[in-house]
Amino acid sequence: MLLTFSGILKYNKLPLASVLKEVLEISQKEMNKPVEIEFAVNISHNPSERSVLNLLQIRPIVENHEEITQDISLIPDNELLISSNMSLGNGLIEDVYDIIYVNHEQFDSSKNEIVASMIDEINERMTALKKNYILIGPGRWGSSDPWLGIPVKWAQISAARLIIETALENYMVDPSQGTHFFQNLTSFKVGYLTINEPHNQGFIDWKSISKLPVIFQNQYINPCCLSKTVLPYYWMQNKESVE
């Protein structure tokens, strides 16, 4: 059995194509840029009932016109604070001087929901100060399952400009891919890296980070530390990047 939807696509049993075209035109006009949409259709086989089109999401398609002139492959590892061979997109982030990270040495996934609340409070402070930061933590950021990562909502990390997911020896979770959460990353031009140090896939210079001055530290089992440095941060797409 082959499902082709030819009744809709070829014979116009349901004027789906024309309706979607109109939706795209209206959305593009309102957002002032090209958009992509997600939709679902409930098709009625009863002539007396109407079929229903449900719009699930309308999102802007982001264009990046930045040109990266820095060849990051020429930078020695000992001059890097963070390195990854898996990224989402490419670009240049400037004027980011703060790092919020989950203490990997005391990480306990049973406390992930508590950590999400802690990060929410710090994010509010950073937003009030109009400051952005780099966010680092084990597992999936924004996971609906708190055992797989820190279950933050987008509003709780809205001031983050670079989000990094890490792996631990006893806590390895597949990278987050294809979620609505990550649509926000591309829409707001937020960088995303995956680092799996146990498998030698990227690294974080924890020794240097631990020496940075701590502005804020929480008393919970999973403390989040807000540290300050003065380094530009690059993230660059390559052949192993997350699609």
Side-chain angles (χ1 to χ4, degrees), residues 111-234:
K111 305 296 182 181
N112 281 352
E113 291 181 296
I114 296 175
V115 174
S117 298
M118 288 167 27
I119 292 173
D120 185 21
E121 294 176 5
I122 299 173
N123 187 76
E124 287 185 3
R125 298 185 191 185
M126 298 295 283
T127 301
L129 294 171
K130 296 183 179 180
K131 298 178 68 178
N132 300 120
Y133 57 85
I134 295 171
L135 184 63
I136 307 174
R140 297 179 180 177
W141 284 107
S143 173
S144 58
D145 183 348
W147 291 101
L148 297 180
I150 314 298
V152 290
K153 304 297 183 183
W154 178 252
Q156 295 176 297
I157 58 170
S158 58
R161 295 292 290 119
L162 176 61
I163 294 176
I164 301 174
E165 295 181 344
T166 62
L168 306 176
E169 285 286 357
N170 59 349
Y171 192 76
M172 295 191 187
V173 180
D174 290 337
S176 309
Q177 299 182 38
T179 65
H180 299 316
F181 182 88
F182 274 79
Q183 175 59 34
N184 286 323
L185 298 187
T186 55
S187 296
F188 293 102
K189 297 184 179 180
V190 176
Y192 162 77
L193 304 178
T194 294
I195 296 176
N196 189 333
E197 291 184 283
H199 287 173
N200 297 316
Q201 297 173 343
F203 66 84
I204 298 176
D205 186 352
W206 291 111
K207 185 176 180 180
S208 295
I209 289 179
S210 66
K211 294 179 180 178
L212 297 173
V214 176
I215 299 173
F216 171 87
Q217 186 166 349
N218 195 285
Q219 73 273 21
Y220 289 105
I221 266 184
N222 282 8
C224 289
C225 301
L226 186 62
S227 303
K228 191 166 186 176
T229 184
V230 284
L231 296 174
Y233 289 88
Y234 298 90

Side-chain angles (χ1 to χ4, degrees), residues 11-172:
Y11 300 108
N12 205 32
K13 179 181 179 181
L14 181 70
L16 182 62
S18 59
V19 171
L20 291 178
K21 181 181 178 182
E22 185 174 355
V23 169
L24 286 170
E25 289 174 349
I26 294 173
S27 302
Q28 179 171 327
K29 180 180 178 181
E30 293 300 319
M31 292 192 175
N32 198 31
K33 62 178 56 181
V35 300
E36 59 179 349
I37 63 175
E38 289 185 16
F39 64 91
V41 181
N42 292 327
I43 301 176
S44 174
H45 298 287
N46 186 337
S48 63
E49 296 181 358
R50 291 185 176 183
S51 298
V52 178
L53 169 67
N54 298 283
L55 294 176
L56 306 179
Q57 284 202 45
I58 301 177
R59 305 181 294 251
I61 297 176
V62 179
E63 296 179 285
N64 190 346
H65 299 291
E66 294 176 341
E67 292 185 5
I68 306 301
T69 57
Q70 176 79 28
D71 186 350
I72 61 176
S73 65
L74 300 179
I75 304 175
D77 284 352
N78 61 4
E79 295 182 12
L80 295 174
L81 188 65
I82 299 167
S83 177
S84 171
N85 56 8
M86 292 186 66
S87 67
L88 180 69
N90 62 83
L92 171 65
I93 302 175
E94 296 180 296
D95 299 324
V96 178
Y97 306 109
D98 298 287
I99 300 174
I100 296 174
Y101 65 95
V102 178
N103 191 327
H104 61 289
E105 294 180 351
Q106 300 183 48
F107 179 72
D108 179 353
S109 58
S110 69
K111 305 296 182 181
N112 281 352
E113 291 181 296
I114 296 175
V115 174
S117 298
M118 288 167 27
I119 292 173
D120 185 21
E121 294 176 5
I122 299 173
N123 187 76
E124 287 185 3
R125 298 185 191 185
M126 298 295 283
T127 301
L129 294 171
K130 296 183 179 180
K131 298 178 68 178
N132 300 120
Y133 57 85
I134 295 171
L135 184 63
I136 307 174
R140 297 179 180 177
W141 284 107
S143 173
S144 58
D145 183 348
W147 291 101
L148 297 180
I150 314 298
V152 290
K153 304 297 183 183
W154 178 252
Q156 295 176 297
I157 58 170
S158 58
R161 295 292 290 119
L162 176 61
I163 294 176
I164 301 174
E165 295 181 344
T166 62
L168 306 176
E169 285 286 357
N170 59 349
Y171 192 76
M172 295 191 187

